[in-house]
Amino acid sequence: MQSVTPRFKEALRWMAANRKAYHVVDEEELAKASGTEHHGGVCFLIKKRNGTSVQQWVAQSGEEDCVLALEDAGNPHNLGAMIRSCAHFGVKGVVLQDAALLESGAAIRTAEGGAEHVQPITGDSFIDALEQFRKAGYAIVTTSSNGKGMPLFNAELPKKMVLALGQDRDGVSDAAAAIADMSVSIDGTRAVEGLNVSVATGVLLGEWWRQHKA
């Protein structure tokens, strides 16, 4: 709608600079495009992002690469925080069972710009994706909150690894744990059971960065 165009001048300038099409339409057309009369005068049509296959990913990876693999990622705020950590520490790929999870509004807001730097990787199943990475020379690393894993800050993390994480309470499935090459634990006071999975992700990726990129 012409009346709200001035409010979106920065967005329109960006779209023009990046050759993204936009149209100024009347009220009826906008309601049709958005599917509602409560559109606030603007509607963005965003193409759904498709996931990269494991085969495509490993074909372009270098000698050093860290991929985050999330089993049953359900909390969009946790996901957004983990994606932000990925962007900060240069982790460009994340294995998800549904690439559309990265399009969640809550995840994108929490990532605060990180989502555009991370590419979803999908496979027939989570376990299948891990197995394909192993065959391509990646080590599978999981975490342990019961103290049985190797202390993270004593561990030599692989140059090419997939960090496989599950939900806060249960961690990865037994099937995923069974094919892991390494299990690490994050030392602390043990005043609490463990770290939130998004916080743990930042610690783990930060240590990989320190060992191989810093």
Side-chain angles (χ1 to χ4, degrees), residues 111-177:
E112 295 192 2
E116 63 187 82
H117 300 286
V118 177
Q119 176 72 28
I121 304 169
T122 56
D124 293 335
S125 71
F126 185 75
I127 300 301
D128 179 64
L130 296 185
E131 290 284 13
Q132 289 181 62
F133 271 110
R134 285 193 74 190
K135 290 177 181 178
Y138 286 71
I140 309 301
V141 179
T142 59
T143 61
S144 170
S145 60
N146 57 17
K148 294 182 179 180
M150 180 181 298
L152 173 63
F153 302 121
N154 293 336
E156 184 177 340
L157 296 177
K159 290 183 178 181
K160 296 188 76 165
M161 79 172 197
V162 175
L163 176 61
L165 300 175
Q167 297 186 25
D168 268 322
R169 180 172 298 179
D170 301 322
V172 295
S173 64
D174 291 341

Side-chain angles (χ1 to χ4, degrees), residues 187-202:
D187 288 342
T189 64
R190 303 214 179 270
V192 293
E193 183 176 350
L195 295 172
N196 169 277
V197 66
S198 65
V199 176
T201 298

Side-chain angles (χ1 to χ4, degrees), residues 1-8 12 23-31 33-34 36-44:
M1 294 173 63
Q2 192 71 46
S3 61
V4 300
T5 300
R7 289 165 44 197
F8 297 96
L12 298 179
H23 304 280
V24 179
V25 300
D26 59 24
E27 182 83 26
E28 183 180 354
E29 187 67 23
L30 190 56
S34 63
T36 178
E37 295 180 356
H38 307 288
H39 44 62
V42 65
C43 175
F44 289 92

